[in-house]
Each structure stands twice: as structure tokens, then as C-alpha cells.
Amino acid sequence: MPTDLVPLTPPAAGYTGGLSTDTADVSWQAPTAVLLAAAFPPGLPNHNWGFTSTAASTIGHQALLSAARYLAASAVDLVEQPARLEAMRQEFVQRKAGVRWTSMIPDDLQPPLYEPPAGFLAATGQKWPPSGVTWPVPPVVSEERLGTTGPAMPPVT
């Protein structure tokens, strides 16, 4: 397992490839940092059985505990260092200045929902569907129009 710490670096000016996360919309609303913990042996390709199986191993458990420690320590550091937290907020505001973020998620999109079992609804005193939810959920039909990927190429004969 890797044991070296990677030094902190400022964010890249543009996407440079690498990890994918689900923080795009969040990162435009609040300062965001990405912390990584070694959770699998080096050299394993993502999304395969070896990579996935480490989650149920000692390696995965230790990675989870380490990540929790890192997150908790980072939160304590920010609470104890209000000047640093304010500097992060100011950098965030400056980096966003002049840039308009538009989410790719339509404003009227309803997330996928699954109706809970009747026994659960009865036991918790809930009704289905909750207020503000269209049920059944309308089917999602892609309206994407594929564009060109470059100049028209002559057919290969």
C-alpha cells in the first residue's frame, strides 16, 4: 500500500483528466477539497472485482477509518483557524468571479424515486407520494441531439 503523502497543490486552471467525482454542482456553491485515502493496492484497474473486493477487506476498513480521521481532523483545523477558513472563502469568491455556472441538471427534473413498502409507510405515518412529487414518475426520454465530432469524412471504399 502507498505510504507517502502527496503534497497539496492548487487546483488546475482547467480539467486535466483523472478522478471523477459527483461534486460539480456542489463545488460551485461551497469551497470544495478532494482528499484521497489508499483503499486498494496500486496497479489494480478501477471497476473490476479485485478493486471492488478490497472494500470488504482489512485494506478497505483501514482506508475508511483513515479517511474518517482525515475528515475529522480537517474539520477541527478549520474550526480552530478561522482566518484560514476566511482565506479559503475569499479564494473561492475570487475564483468564481466572472464565471457563470449553469447546472446540467434541469431545474424541473425530479430524482428517481421508489415507493417504500406499505408496512414502512404505515409504521412511520407517511403517505405516498410525498407532497410535490409526481407519481408515477414520468419516463425520461433523451432529447439530446448528437453533434458533429469533426469535419465530414469521405466514405471509405
Side-chain angles (χ1 to χ4, degrees), residues 63-106:
L64 173 75
L65 294 175
S66 293
R69 288 183 197 109
Y70 302 152
L71 290 171
S74 296
V76 169
D77 285 348
L78 292 175
V79 168
E80 291 181 340
Q81 300 175 44
R84 179 166 295 197
L85 183 58
E86 182 56 31
M88 291 168 64
R89 285 188 185 128
Q90 291 304 316
E91 178 188 2
F92 176 69
V93 169
Q94 290 170 357
R95 284 182 171 273
K96 284 183 26 173
V99 179
R100 184 173 176 272
W101 171 258
T102 303
S103 176
M104 294 178 71
I105 302 171

